[in-house]
Amino acid sequence: MENVLLEVQGLETQFITPNGTVHAINGVSFGITKGESIGLVGESGCGKSVTMLSILGLVPTPPGKITAGTALFEGQDLLKMNEAQLQKIRGGQIGFIFQDPMTSFNPVLTIGRQITETIEVHLGLTSDLARKRAAELLDMVGIPKAKDRLNDYPHQFSGGMRQRAMIAMALACKPQILIADEPTTALDVTIQAQIIELVKNLRNDLGMTIIWITHDLGVIANLARRVIVMYGGYFIEEAPVKELFRNPQHPYTLGLLGSLPRLDSDQHKQLVSIEGAPPVLLEKPEFCPFAKRCNYANEVCHIANPVLEEITPDHRVACWVKPKFRNVQS
């Protein structure tokens, strides 16, 4: 892959709990190039957020532990860095927009102080210059009277404004990669659309690489160019966004797409639901983690776990029954 900015290979993360060891991430691998935008999708608990938190050393230890893998960022393995080295990467070269801006901000510090701290640490600017830069950032993300709002505390911002401020803080040092962890989940649909449009414009204007974590394929369709579908701690399908919507190859992906209302289909068509519940990962699955919920599963699905295989140069899927499944789709 040319111009690879971040390359992850064989990442595994576990959590030690009173009930046993949870195998949250089970050997995932992916790469992302400069200026690319990818979506990481799947239902809650599949491992999307833990994957990205693991890469940046943000998984709490204990109970979490990265047990295998590499994460090469510009040739350096993030998983082998100490905390001081990672602090230079986090916020500086890789920005992170967290899921809930209310709990991500420190409630006793002003918005301005929390943004200027990042700027001072990573860029070495004086407090006056950092404050000027913070006001520019708030203005860039669409907060009115940005200079005056620097003295406000998080509770004085609405949910949408807090999320914009979180984006401003993530962009403070012009990172090469911006990771957005379901940043629109707690917002109403109007504000969601505004935040998505904002990120798209920032991507186009600044040329940043974006990783957008979500359970909503509708959001991905409007934002990402490539999609990775995750289930049970594994990557199970990867394809360009248009290809994934046009030609899904994994039964789980088909189920996700079937649960979305579409404007280009029969309005009276009943939406699909995926029966059952996600697997409890107290044991690393030795068989397909989706087998118990899959209508296409056969005997081998309950015995061995498939690996991601190319079906076209830019489309990979992990499914034992994919030839039969493709016939069903056609």
Side-chain angles (χ1 to χ4, degrees):
M1 188 184 293
E2 297 181 358
N3 299 318
V4 175
L5 188 58
L6 174 65
E7 184 173 12
V8 177
Q9 291 290 334
L11 177 65
E12 296 188 14
T13 303
Q14 300 176 359
F15 290 89
I16 309 300
T17 74
N19 295 323
T21 300
V22 176
H23 299 265
I25 309 298
N26 298 302
V28 302
S29 301
F30 71 97
I32 186 167
T33 59
K34 294 180 180 179
E36 188 180 14
S37 56
I38 68 171
L40 183 56
V41 303
E43 59 195 297
S44 298
C46 70
K48 308 184 300 295
S49 298
V50 174
T51 297
M52 296 304 157
L53 293 173
S54 297
I55 292 169
L56 291 177
L58 293 173
V59 171
T61 305
K65 182 180 180 181
I66 299 171
T67 58
T70 60
L72 298 180
F73 175 66
E74 295 191 320
Q76 295 182 300
D77 190 353
L78 297 175
L79 303 185
K80 292 182 179 179
M81 292 184 178
N82 58 38
E83 183 62 22
Q85 292 172 316
L86 283 171
Q87 283 183 354
K88 294 180 180 179
I89 299 291
R90 296 193 296 249
Q93 295 172 274
I94 301 178
F96 205 115
I97 305 173
F98 293 94
Q99 185 171 5
D100 185 353
M102 189 66 245
T103 58
S104 299
F105 279 115
N106 189 326
V108 300
L109 294 178
T110 64
I111 292 290
R113 180 56 193 140
Q114 295 184 64
I115 298 176
T116 57
E117 182 179 21
T118 299
I119 297 170
E120 291 170 13
V121 168
H122 291 286
L123 299 183
L125 299 184
T126 64
S127 58
D128 289 342
L129 289 176
R131 189 171 177 83
K132 181 180 178 182
R133 170 68 176 158
E136 292 172 350
L137 288 163
L138 290 182
D139 182 66
M140 182 175 66
V141 298
I143 293 182
K145 301 180 180 179
K147 187 176 180 180
D148 297 333
R149 301 307 301 267
L150 290 174
N151 294 322
D152 287 350
Y153 290 86
H155 73 271
Q156 294 176 278
F157 277 43
S158 67
M161 289 177 66
R162 281 196 298 270
Q163 196 58 279
R164 289 172 183 269
M166 177 62 68
I167 293 172
M169 188 159 66
L171 296 176
C173 302
K174 296 182 179 180
Q176 297 183 65
I177 299 176
L178 179 65
I179 301 173
D181 186 4
E182 302 202 45
T184 61
T185 297
L187 307 177
D188 63 61
V189 291
T190 302
I191 304 301
Q192 283 184 26
Q194 293 175 2
I195 295 297
I196 292 168
E197 192 63 26
L198 170 63
V199 173
K200 286 173 62 178
N201 292 336
L202 292 171
R203 178 197 65 196
N204 296 334
D205 294 342
L206 304 177
M208 282 187 307
T209 298
I210 293 178
I211 302 174
W212 189 284
I213 304 169
T214 184
H215 62 275
D216 188 346
L217 276 166
V219 170
I220 291 300
N222 196 35
L223 183 69
R225 295 171 186 168
R226 182 161 58 100
V227 186
I228 299 173
V229 182
M230 193 168 189
Y231 186 84
Y234 292 92
F235 289 170
I236 60 170
E237 188 162 8
E238 179 182 359
V241 63
K242 292 182 179 179
E243 168 70 9
L244 189 86
F245 275 76
R246 182 175 59 248
N247 188 30
Q249 291 296 302
H250 197 284
Y252 177 65
T253 308
L254 182 70
L256 291 179
L257 291 171
S259 66
L260 289 175
R262 298 182 60 148
L263 297 177
D264 59 350
S265 63
D266 183 359
Q267 295 182 2
H268 301 288
K269 183 179 180 180
Q270 187 172 0
L271 298 180
V272 176
S273 63
I274 302 175
E275 299 298 328
V280 178
L281 298 174
L282 291 176
E283 294 184 4
K284 186 176 181 179
E286 300 296 335
F287 50 86
C288 175
F290 189 62
K292 294 182 180 180
R293 305 175 71 186
C294 181
N295 294 328
Y296 302 94
N298 57 30
E299 185 177 350
V300 69
C301 301
H302 296 275
I303 298 174
N305 197 355
V307 297
L308 276 174
E309 294 180 335
E310 283 191 356
I311 55 174
T312 66
D314 56 1
H315 194 160
R316 299 191 299 162
V317 64
C319 182
W320 290 119
V321 295
K322 56 183 178 294
K324 174 184 176 183
F325 186 60
R326 283 202 296 272
N327 292 335
V328 171
Q329 290 308 295
S330 61

